[in-house]
Amino acid sequence: NPYYDLPSAAFWRTGVADVSPFSIKGLWKPKHKLSKRHEIVTAGSCFAQHIGKALAQNGYTWFNAEPAPDKFGDTLAKEYNYGVFSFRTGNIYTAAALKQWVFWALGKEASPQEVWEKGGRFYDPFRPAIAPNGFASAEELLRSRQTTLEAIRRAVTECSRFVFTLGLTEGWVS
């Protein structure tokens, strides 16, 4: 068979299951190593926010392309999804959704003007968790979305590494 000459580490049983967890070595060789000097962007599922925090806590350069306004404290910034991912999109669960955001940010596709209104407040259907109480107007929402698109553009054009984690959810097409 085509696997007969592979080393024992190439197989689950001999490379992982039958080996002490403290002696497992060489199973993964990264194509691109992370250095503390790299500007690292994180986006994707909720797992990406934990990667960003861990990078920052361990001295890596986590790229925050859309920081909170100076007047926000830590609690308010978190409530409005600043500092969770490298830009304020909220969770991005699929590669198709990431592509959509990047295409809008780079001007490869026109960004939508869709806005949801409920009770006199305006909500972003593409970033529903960004403003917990909605926006005061559609114009304010669209300005906020534009700020995020500018942050995405900066992030993808200036970063050294981009970490994207997929979510465990279905994707929808409208």
Side-chain angles (χ1 to χ4, degrees), residues 31-45:
K31 186 174 183 179
H32 302 286
K33 293 185 179 186
L34 293 181
S35 163
K36 291 187 177 183
R37 72 179 195 288
H38 288 134
E39 295 274 346
I40 305 167
V41 167
T42 57
S45 68

Side-chain angles (χ1 to χ4, degrees), residues 6-156:
L6 293 178
S8 61
F11 300 94
W12 176 256
R13 183 178 314 283
T14 54
V16 178
D18 293 343
V19 179
S20 163
F22 301 107
S23 63
I24 296 173
K25 292 184 178 80
L27 290 183
W28 180 66
K29 293 180 180 97
K31 186 174 183 179
H32 302 286
K33 293 185 179 186
L34 293 181
S35 163
K36 291 187 177 183
R37 72 179 195 288
H38 288 134
E39 295 274 346
I40 305 167
V41 167
T42 57
S45 68
C46 57
F47 190 60
Q49 68 185 281
H50 301 297
I51 292 173
K53 283 181 199 167
L55 288 168
Q57 288 171 349
N58 287 287
Y60 287 82
T61 308
W62 177 67
F63 193 143
N64 185 359
E66 194 172 1
D70 292 337
K71 63 183 177 184
F72 279 41
D74 290 342
T75 302
L76 192 58
K78 178 80 170 169
E79 184 179 342
Y80 282 81
N81 283 270
Y82 285 100
V84 178
F85 300 102
S86 290
F87 33 79
R88 288 178 64 223
T89 54
N91 291 335
I92 301 174
Y93 292 111
T94 66
L98 175 63
K99 177 184 171 191
Q100 174 178 270
W101 277 109
V102 171
F103 275 29
W104 294 341
L106 298 178
K108 294 182 181 267
E109 291 179 2
S111 62
Q113 299 301 300
E114 186 173 354
V115 172
W116 292 344
E117 187 269 331
K118 180 179 180 182
R121 300 296 292 176
F122 298 84
Y123 299 86
D124 193 335
F126 303 100
R127 306 176 309 150
I130 294 306
N133 300 313
F135 292 88
S137 68
E139 294 77 21
E140 180 185 26
L141 181 154
L142 293 171
R143 281 193 306 273
S144 174
R145 189 185 298 161
Q146 187 58 42
T147 298
T148 295
L149 292 172
E150 291 165 9
I152 293 170
R153 184 180 321 109
R154 252 191 27 261
V156 300

